[in-house]
Amino acid sequence: MADERFEWLEIPAAPVKKAVKVKEPLHAVAGKRCPQCGWLDEETSLHCFRCGYRYNVDHGMAERIAQLGIQLPPRLFEASQNLENFFRTHGRARPPEPTAIYRLRLEAELLQLSRGFDRLICLDEIAVDQYEHQIEAALRALREMRGRALLADEVGLGKTIEAGIVMKELILRGLVQSVLVLTPASLTEQWREELGSKFREEFTVVEQLQRWQAVQRTAGGRWIVSLDRAKLAHQREAILARDYDLLIVDEAHKLKNRNTLAWQFVNQIRKRYVLMLTATPIQNDLMELYSLITILAPGQLGTVRAFRRHFLESYDPRQPRNTAALRGLLNDVMIRNRRSKVAIQFPKRQAAIYHLELSEREWQLYRGVTDYIRRRFRDADSDKQLRLTLLTLQKELSSSPQALGHTLRRMVEDPAHGERVRAELGALAELALSIPQSRKLEAVCEILERFPGKFLIFTEYRQTQEAILALLARRGIAAAAFHGGLDLAQKEGAIARFRQEGAEGARVLVSTESGAEGRNLQFCHQLINYDLPWNPMRVEQRIGRLHRLGQVHDVTIFNLSCNDTIEAHVLDLLARKIRMFELVIGELDLILGSVEGRQSFEELLLEAWEGAASDGELVDRVAAIGAELVKARDRYEKVRESNQIFDRAVGE
């Protein structure tokens, strides 16, 4: 159609610096075996640490005494013949100390000679490219934070690598034996593979309670378990029954609420060192940051009441007060690197909006469902549950007829709806299911034909995912599916097939939101947002799967937008008002955090949608949101160099 086109968004190139890889020289260890007591010294030295024999003096001196013909007293002669430390002991022959005493003295000497974490000894033991900001983050976590740190780098800067470096350093120094990693279920296998291949530490993914019975009897050990599984009653007791040297928590923002079972469980784990990883330490309220830091360092930010009184503005929980004091407290426990500050050259982003016109039947469906939603929203019997269902309908309406039809059918089968309402819903469901191929499905095929290479397609709904996969199968395009209903082996198989080239591989991976967290898919550089979440943070999480360390190509993002729909309004706000495709997540949360009224982007949009009685009123309300977002962006631009929470509060 004439009005369907790619609108390429202009994304200014950010200043970049050349990547710097940091490597330290190999530490040579050349041991010696003592001719006196037979002990093998692991380090090169001038004397035997066990018996005191001096390699460069005693043996030569004994030979010299024999050559000079000096007659020694029998006891001293025997000592010299046995190569005892003649001159050091002054004739007092004594046997070497027992091994236990030697080891005790060795540990004492090592502690006395230890200079702390002035350098990393693990760099030659790991199989990763270390970047300067990662080395500095690891050293800060060890030296200044004593192994208890919140690693809050922006998406794609390698928080997992930083945590792995800290872990390996503590293991090599003998400070850590037992390690527990808590992570989302979809990332357990990825953590196991990375820690094994990059850090040469073998971990066990624990899924059954019986495995924890063995854990309780093991002094050391390395385990990975999903947080959702670990917090369950039948597993939490076994996990909490022992101490751990190191606890690592990935996607730690899931612990932002101190009243949840997950937070209470993690807070109870007995651990010596703890690393928490998140790209979004604050999303809605500074109290979320308080919750995370309380796990790391209880009391660091004082009591809840004192923290609110000293550091939170009463009119906006996102805005701090007494920022100098807060900055100092955060510097003790939190590290945040930003893409704009680190010496890494990231590939460019290219974003495009693909404008689409709905077909006649799709437009009838959109109008009919939208009218139904507006009427039902204002009915006297409209309760919270119904409103949530209506919101789901509105979002599915922008996704696919298949997703919408599935929900409508379930509503028709629900006797809670009156007969008249169920009849109306049934007619809408029939209309939805009579549309075999939507305009968005055609657009996907057009994009795949026009642009070669692998594609990652994101959608929020399983029914939409199945419709996309069915179309690709009919077109002979190899595709794999990734969603929360797959078990661990199936998920890893889908990723492996997507990564594989050739006839056995998949050109397309169609994923639900479960694939938007933590997965490393740098081997692909093209993404299609089939439908858009109303939360821009989730959009950035999707892009972060491709636009991260290790990506060698420019990343292209295609956003499908049907004209005159709520989705088109959302995309307009993201692309033109926030200009989020030129941002990264650290900047995005600061802009959204400065919106007046203390409402998130999603809350603002939901309020506009709920209050609009017509399309015209919705347009006006969205325009008002856009004006506020522009002001928020301007405020951010003015204070970005002196931002008091992240830019300097955490040591950038």
Side-chain angles (χ1 to χ4, degrees), residues 454 496-506 523:
K454 291 183 179 292
R497 188 180 172 213
F498 184 43
R499 180 183 291 108
Q500 186 175 355
E501 299 290 346
E504 298 299 323
F523 55 87

Side-chain angles (χ1 to χ4, degrees), residues 4-240:
E4 294 174 9
R5 67 188 188 280
F6 285 111
E7 179 189 352
W8 292 95
L9 304 175
E10 295 184 4
I11 301 177
V16 295
K17 300 178 181 179
K18 185 177 180 181
V20 178
K21 297 180 183 179
V22 179
K23 272 289 187 181
E24 292 196 6
L26 181 66
H27 177 64
V29 177
K32 283 187 178 181
R33 186 172 295 280
C34 176
Q36 167 64 32
C37 66
W39 192 263
L40 177 63
D41 274 348
E42 297 180 354
E43 301 285 346
T44 300
S45 58
L46 298 179
H47 68 277
C48 177
F49 190 75
R50 185 182 182 196
C51 69
Y53 176 79
R54 295 176 294 179
Y55 300 120
N56 60 337
V57 176
D58 292 350
H59 185 71
M61 188 62 69
E63 292 181 347
R64 183 63 175 162
I65 290 173
Q67 292 174 358
L68 294 175
I70 298 175
Q71 297 293 322
L72 298 175
R75 185 164 61 89
L76 295 183
F77 177 77
E78 181 181 354
S80 67
Q81 289 298 104
N82 290 334
L83 300 180
E84 190 65 58
N85 188 355
F86 175 74
F87 287 95
R88 175 172 293 187
T89 60
H90 300 287
R92 292 182 290 105
R94 60 181 176 81
E97 297 289 353
T99 302
I101 300 298
Y102 161 74
R103 292 191 182 280
L104 181 62
R105 180 187 170 196
L106 177 61
E107 291 183 12
E109 291 286 347
L110 289 175
L111 290 174
Q112 183 179 3
L113 295 175
S114 175
R115 296 188 299 173
F117 296 100
D118 57 340
R119 70 182 183 91
L120 297 175
I121 65 175
C122 70
L123 298 183
D124 290 312
E125 301 292 328
I126 59 180
V128 295
D129 293 331
Q130 309 105 30
Y131 292 89
E132 184 177 5
H133 74 277
Q134 295 172 340
I135 300 300
E136 292 176 355
L139 285 171
R140 279 196 64 200
L142 291 165
R143 272 199 310 244
E144 302 174 21
M145 304 176 186
R146 300 182 179 274
R148 302 177 74 92
L150 176 61
L151 303 178
D153 289 359
E154 291 177 344
V155 171
L157 289 183
K159 294 183 292 296
T160 303
I161 299 300
E162 293 170 1
I165 293 174
V166 173
M167 177 199 71
K168 190 68 174 181
E169 187 74 14
L170 293 172
I171 290 175
L172 290 182
R173 290 176 182 260
L175 299 173
V176 161
Q177 289 184 328
S178 58
V179 183
L180 175 63
V181 178
L182 298 177
T183 182
S186 61
L187 302 181
T188 54
E189 190 62 25
Q190 178 170 302
W191 268 88
R192 186 197 65 78
E193 191 276 331
E194 287 200 4
L195 293 176
S197 62
K198 296 180 179 179
F199 297 95
R200 299 187 175 94
E201 295 294 335
E202 295 301 321
F203 278 73
T204 300
V205 176
V206 180
E207 297 183 347
Q208 302 297 328
L209 178 61
Q210 291 76 9
R211 301 298 298 270
W212 286 114
Q213 297 173 351
V215 168
Q216 295 181 43
R217 299 190 297 268
T218 306
R222 318 276 193 268
W223 307 284
I224 300 173
V225 62
S226 75
L227 177 59
D228 289 336
R229 185 184 300 274
K231 70 183 181 182
L232 298 177
H234 66 284
Q235 292 220 18
R236 60 181 288 139
E237 294 180 3
I239 296 174
L240 295 175

Side-chain angles (χ1 to χ4, degrees), residues 370-583:
T370 300
D371 290 342
Y372 167 79
I373 291 173
R374 285 180 178 147
R375 282 187 282 105
R376 290 290 286 154
F377 221 89
R378 291 163 177 78
D379 281 352
D381 61 345
S382 176
D383 56 14
K384 183 177 180 180
Q385 183 61 40
L386 176 60
R387 288 170 178 255
L388 289 175
T389 302
L390 295 176
L391 178 61
T392 299
L393 282 179
Q394 184 68 66
K395 292 182 176 181
E396 290 176 335
L397 188 57
S398 298
S399 180
S400 71
Q402 290 78 13
L404 178 67
H406 176 76
T407 301
L408 289 173
R409 274 186 169 179
R410 286 192 292 116
M411 294 177 69
V412 170
E413 296 170 357
D414 186 355
H417 298 289
E419 184 175 345
R420 180 181 59 82
V421 172
R422 292 166 64 189
E424 182 179 7
L425 293 174
L428 292 173
E430 290 182 7
L431 178 58
L433 298 176
S434 69
I435 304 173
Q437 183 165 310
S438 66
R439 184 63 190 92
K440 281 190 173 183
L441 283 178
E442 296 175 9
V444 167
C445 293
E446 293 167 7
I447 293 174
L448 293 178
E449 291 174 2
R450 181 171 174 180
F451 298 91
K454 291 183 179 292
F455 271 85
L456 173 61
I457 302 178
F458 270 113
T459 178
E460 290 196 85
Y461 302 103
R462 283 285 303 278
Q463 290 74 26
T464 302
Q465 181 189 49
E466 292 171 0
I468 298 172
L469 291 169
L471 174 67
L472 296 179
R474 292 195 299 270
R475 298 293 180 94
I477 300 174
F482 190 102
H483 56 79
L486 302 176
D487 60 31
L488 186 59
Q490 291 171 326
K491 290 178 179 178
E492 294 306 315
I495 298 297
R497 188 180 172 213
F498 184 43
R499 180 183 291 108
Q500 186 175 355
E501 299 290 346
E504 298 299 323
R507 185 190 172 194
V508 178
L509 178 69
V510 185
S511 175
T512 60
E513 293 299 323
S514 62
E517 288 188 341
R519 285 284 169 178
N520 300 322
L521 305 174
Q522 300 95 317
F523 55 87
C524 173
H525 62 275
Q526 299 177 114
L527 180 148
I528 298 176
N529 282 315
Y530 193 90
D531 44 44
L532 281 177
W534 287 12
N535 185 342
M537 294 295 188
R538 289 169 57 192
V539 180
E540 179 60 32
Q541 285 282 355
R542 291 177 173 186
I543 300 172
R545 300 310 97 218
L546 310 183
H547 195 250
R548 59 193 302 114
L549 282 179
Q551 179 60 260
V552 297
H553 298 95
D554 292 344
V555 173
T556 306
I557 305 115
F558 299 92
N559 301 284
L560 305 186
S561 173
C562 295
N563 296 333
D564 300 321
T565 65
I566 183 66
E567 184 177 51
H569 299 317
V570 173
L571 189 53
D572 182 75
L573 292 175
L574 297 181
R576 293 182 177 81
K577 306 304 181 181
I578 302 179
R579 305 203 308 274
M580 70 159 291
F581 294 106
E582 69 186 66
L583 298 172

